[in-house]
Amino acid sequence: MSAVSLVVAGVLMASGCSAGSDATPDSVAPRATASERAVAAPLTRAELRTLTFKDGEVAGAPEGGLSVRDPEPEKEQRSFPPVANRACQTMLDIRDGEHASVVVLQIFNWKGDIWGGGSTLAAYEDGKAEQAFTQLKQALASCRSYEGAGWVGKFKARLTMEQAPGVGDEAVRFRETIPMGPDQPEDRKEQFTVVRAGNTIVTFQKLNVGGSASFPEDLVSRQVERLQNAQRL
């Protein structure tokens, strides 16, 4: 289970992290021109943080309802064994930005929604985001279910593909359904929208238990547009 999933599931109601720089996305300095560098460098951690949403930019999110953080240092992360289905493990790695140069996580809380959502912004070296997205699409062609272990123990997830949004350079969308067991008969359902914008891949996720919910389309479009604008040479 991804870092954002864990935070969404466990810390939705009490996000107190800083949302990062107060600078607006429009203030991000233009990237170096092609004549200065033949290969575009990946966006930095500071740039990714600047491109996330700030208080007042997300409808329905109370003040302090948005937080931005870096992934935990690897030595502090609790590791879980990889899933047996190799295609599904590839999908999990890419949606979580495991092989990206830099990753930034944002948590979203909305009024009246105890489940919340999240996004994972991952920047790659030139060309590697496209390679990763090709691997993701190939993995999703055969990954339909997998068994894994997480903070709450063992689980079995079933994947259902959904219509991808027409944003970015390429996009996919799917939903994971995880039965919660006899004590909690309602299923956990989490939608994932993964979009490549140049040398970045951003994953949006929206959790719900007992129903289905989708990450707001306008936020998907706005975040992808920010990533695209920041990479224009």
Side-chain angles (χ1 to χ4, degrees):
M1 299 174 72
S2 72
V4 171
S5 294
L6 296 173
V7 176
V8 169
V11 198
L12 291 176
M13 303 297 290
S15 74
C17 300
S18 169
S21 170
D22 292 331
T24 63
D26 294 337
S27 68
V28 176
R31 309 295 291 165
T33 64
S35 61
E36 293 172 332
R37 282 187 298 182
V39 177
L43 293 174
T44 66
R45 189 178 307 280
E47 288 173 319
L48 286 181
R49 279 181 163 270
T50 301
L51 296 169
T52 59
F53 292 102
K54 311 300 183 293
D55 280 340
E57 293 186 325
V58 176
E63 184 176 354
L66 307 174
S67 63
V68 178
R69 69 179 185 84
D70 302 329
E72 293 181 354
E74 187 173 349
K75 63 181 181 180
E76 297 180 15
Q77 295 179 10
R78 179 178 174 184
S79 61
F80 298 100
V83 301
N85 187 319
R86 293 183 63 183
C88 292
Q89 185 61 54
T90 296
M91 175 273 295
L92 293 170
D93 288 345
I94 295 171
R95 85 177 187 198
D96 294 342
E98 287 293 332
H99 304 299
S101 298
V102 179
V103 174
V104 168
L105 311 174
Q106 178 155 38
I107 308 302
F108 295 79
N109 293 303
W110 290 278
K111 296 176 182 177
D113 182 356
I114 65 171
W115 304 116
S119 63
T120 301
L121 284 65
Y124 292 77
E125 294 179 3
D126 195 47
K128 290 189 176 180
E130 186 172 3
Q131 295 173 10
F133 212 90
T134 297
Q135 294 173 349
L136 173 63
K137 291 186 291 185
Q138 293 172 342
L140 287 171
S142 58
C143 175
R144 288 295 172 264
S145 66
Y146 65 92
E147 295 183 10
W151 293 96
V152 296
K154 295 182 178 180
F155 64 91
K156 183 172 183 178
R158 183 179 74 254
L159 271 68
T160 305
M161 298 302 299
E162 298 184 352
Q163 181 65 43
V167 296
D169 295 300
E170 46 190 339
V172 295
R173 175 174 285 164
F174 56 95
R175 194 176 299 270
E176 285 192 359
T177 301
I178 301 177
M180 300 294 287
D183 296 333
Q184 298 180 354
E186 296 180 320
D187 292 341
R188 169 193 170 106
K189 295 183 179 181
E190 192 163 13
Q191 183 202 64
F192 294 88
T193 301
V194 190
V195 183
R196 182 177 72 82
N199 289 328
T200 64
I201 293 177
V202 55
T203 300
F204 306 91
Q205 50 199 98
K206 183 67 184 75
L207 175 65
N208 196 277
V209 175
S212 296
S214 299
F215 198 92
E217 295 289 355
D218 69 308
L219 296 184
V220 172
S221 298
R222 289 163 58 193
Q223 182 66 88
V224 171
E225 184 177 12
R226 292 181 180 190
L227 291 170
Q228 291 176 316
N229 289 341
Q231 297 174 83
R232 290 202 172 106
L233 299 177

